[in-house]
Amino acid sequence: MSRLMLGRTLERICKAVLLLCLVHFLIMMILYFDVYSQRFDIFSRFNNGRGANSSRGPHHNYYNFSSGRPNTTFASYLATADHLLPSTKPEANHTPPTPKPLPPCPEVPPGLVGRLLIEFSSQITLERVQRENPNVTEGGKYTPPDCRPKQKVAIIIPFRHRDNHLKYWLHYLHPVLRRQKISYGIFIINQLGEDTFNRAKLLNVGYTEALKDAEYDCFIFSDVDLIPMDDRNLYHCYDQPRHFAIAMDKFGFRLPYAGYFGGVSGLSKKQFLKINGFPNEYWGWGGEDDDIYNRITLNGMKVSRPDVRIGRYRMIKHERDKHNEPNPQRFSKIQNTKNTMRKDGISSLMYRVVSVKKYPLYTNISVEIGKPPPRPLKG
């Protein structure tokens, strides 16, 4: 008896399962034919739309999907295919969006690394420096792409027969200046001929020629053999004239004396004009930086300097240049700055530009600046 009841129970379960399978099959068939009919309706309307619009000409494609019952399958299909269909809205004249103004560059750029390892034993080529600085444009110019600098800086280097030093200077300074978010241009002021060298006069020439190139408002004057050892020594202008190279290795990383203003310095355009630029009459080595210091203090300004741990520099060792011997008149001239600074300076500058050549990493300006006056005979 128990076996008979168990068999009937299993039979009923099998029939129920079979019935459920049949219902499931019917539902699937209904859904299948429903979707198939909708897709067929879409493509037929798509083809009808193309045929109806062929008479309008080749440049106007309009498709009519307004008829037919709305359903979620059809809506989702249009949503996924919307980018494939031409817009039914007439095109409007869209003006390009105005680019957002760049934010000001930070006072202390976040990409600075601090103390730098400076060495001069590796061979440097200009091609290598150019590859390492692809964002520097013709003439040795660079502007940060992600912020707006508050100053435009011209870096001016007095120059003659120092090609190897220049390679090292460009190799180290371009990356430093880019990390400092400086908008800058580099100007090499090359004194032609073999007459006595005149550093300060070349710096006056650099100031004048740089302003012909762009509206610079800050001027950094640097010797080509001095490399900063810390990129936190920011190459821009300050409220007071700036002396950057305060701790050179040749002086034991100390300031040699309180009035020293040599090596690397910076003045704004306003500060430079206030002191009538630099003296033109210091022919040979020495004295002109002390004269500049006197001009600054005599005009009521003070020299600002970085921390001694940041203002460290390495000098490329070299023999003294030919025709740049010490100026025997420098001490008497320094004592007479107060009387000479109004008539000797940017206001009395005379020179002749021979050539201006813009290279990938710098602008070279070759000039003739004349000769020193004959020295008075002794006795």
Side-chain angles (χ1 to χ4, degrees):
M1 187 68 179
S2 59
R3 290 183 178 179
L4 181 60
M5 291 181 66
L6 180 61
R8 288 179 179 177
T9 302
L10 290 174
E11 182 182 1
R12 289 172 185 164
I13 293 174
C14 291
K15 288 181 179 180
V17 171
L18 183 61
L19 181 61
L20 287 173
C21 290
L22 181 60
V23 172
H24 182 265
F25 176 79
L26 290 174
I27 293 173
M28 292 297 296
M29 292 301 294
I30 291 171
L31 291 175
Y32 175 81
F33 284 110
D34 182 61
V35 173
Y36 179 82
S37 63
Q38 291 169 14
R39 292 295 176 93
F40 180 79
D41 183 61
I42 288 173
F43 287 112
S44 63
R45 293 178 187 279
F46 183 84
N47 292 328
N48 291 338
R50 291 180 63 181
N53 285 288
S54 61
S55 60
R56 297 173 183 257
H59 303 290
H60 302 280
N61 296 322
Y62 297 96
Y63 304 103
N64 182 13
F65 292 110
S66 61
S67 62
R69 67 180 185 275
N71 58 80
T72 55
T73 305
F74 180 56
S76 62
Y77 176 79
L78 285 182
T80 57
D82 183 64
H83 65 284
L84 300 175
L85 303 178
S87 173
T88 58
K89 298 180 180 180
E91 294 185 0
N93 292 327
H94 295 290
T95 57
T98 304
K100 294 182 180 180
L102 293 174
C105 291
E107 290 291 334
V108 181
L112 301 179
V113 300
R115 188 67 61 85
L116 306 173
L117 176 63
I118 307 297
E119 56 87 19
F120 306 118
S121 59
S122 303
Q123 291 297 318
I124 301 295
T125 65
L126 293 178
E127 291 76 17
R128 171 186 168 182
V129 179
Q130 189 175 352
R131 287 194 306 269
E132 294 171 344
N133 299 275
N135 295 327
V136 175
T137 60
E138 185 183 45
K141 296 181 181 179
Y142 175 80
T143 298
D146 55 350
C147 64
R148 186 178 70 256
K150 66 178 181 180
Q151 297 178 358
K152 194 172 182 66
V153 180
I155 301 175
I156 298 168
I157 299 177
F159 187 86
R160 187 167 66 180
H161 306 323
R162 295 284 196 92
D163 298 273
N164 195 48
H165 293 178
L166 179 60
K167 294 175 185 177
Y168 284 110
W169 192 96
L170 296 169
H171 169 68
Y172 285 112
L173 266 295
H174 270 304
V176 166
L177 296 169
R178 289 191 293 110
R179 289 197 299 270
Q180 292 181 355
K181 302 293 184 181
I182 304 292
S183 175
Y184 66 89
I186 294 175
F187 298 88
I188 307 301
I189 312 302
N190 179 40
Q191 179 176 338
L192 293 175
E194 298 300 327
D195 289 310
T196 306
F197 195 69
N198 191 325
R199 176 180 180 269
K201 190 171 186 178
L202 291 173
L203 297 179
N204 280 340
V205 172
Y207 168 88
T208 305
E209 291 299 314
L211 286 175
K212 295 178 182 178
D213 182 76
E215 288 295 325
Y216 293 100
D217 48 19
C218 174
F219 300 85
I220 307 295
F221 306 97
S222 175
D223 289 345
V224 73
D225 55 4
L226 286 175
I227 310 297
M229 299 178 66
D230 197 309
D231 62 2
R232 293 171 295 178
N233 195 358
L234 301 178
Y235 273 38
H236 61 74
C237 289
Y238 296 78
D239 293 336
Q240 298 291 334
R242 187 75 164 181
H243 183 216
F244 296 95
I246 68 168
M248 300 183 198
D249 56 353
K250 78 168 186 175
F251 296 136
F253 296 110
R254 293 188 299 270
L255 191 68
Y257 52 92
Y260 183 66
F261 199 69
V264 185
S265 58
L267 292 90
S268 68
K269 183 177 181 180
K270 182 178 179 181
Q271 294 164 355
F272 187 87
L273 293 176
K274 189 173 183 178
I275 65 172
N276 193 24
F278 299 157
N280 297 311
E281 299 303 324
Y282 282 80
W283 297 90
W285 181 87
E288 79 285 346
D289 46 358
D290 295 317
D291 190 294
I292 296 167
Y293 181 87
N294 290 343
R295 290 173 181 238
I296 292 170
T297 57
L298 288 169
N299 281 278
M301 295 184 287
K302 296 181 180 180
V303 171
S304 65
R305 294 186 172 103
D307 186 278
V308 69
R309 293 167 295 182
I310 293 177
R312 295 162 66 96
Y313 280 75
R314 280 204 66 187
M315 175 179 282
I316 306 173
K317 294 182 180 179
H318 60 91
E319 298 296 328
R320 176 156 294 164
D321 299 318
K322 190 178 180 180
H323 305 298
N324 192 30
E325 293 78 13
N327 181 359
Q329 300 175 335
R330 62 187 185 277
F331 298 110
S332 60
K333 286 182 174 295
I334 292 169
Q335 295 174 357
N336 205 30
T337 303
K338 186 175 182 179
N339 298 324
T340 59
M341 65 180 182
R342 294 304 169 201
K343 56 185 178 181
D344 176 24
I346 195 69
S347 60
S348 62
L349 178 64
M350 296 181 66
Y351 65 97
R352 186 175 78 89
V353 174
V354 176
S355 67
V356 177
K357 296 180 180 179
K358 293 189 176 183
Y359 295 101
L361 298 168
Y362 62 93
T363 297
N364 185 88
I365 303 176
S366 294
V367 294
E368 293 178 348
I369 61 172
K371 301 179 180 181
R375 294 176 182 174
L377 297 176
K378 294 182 179 181

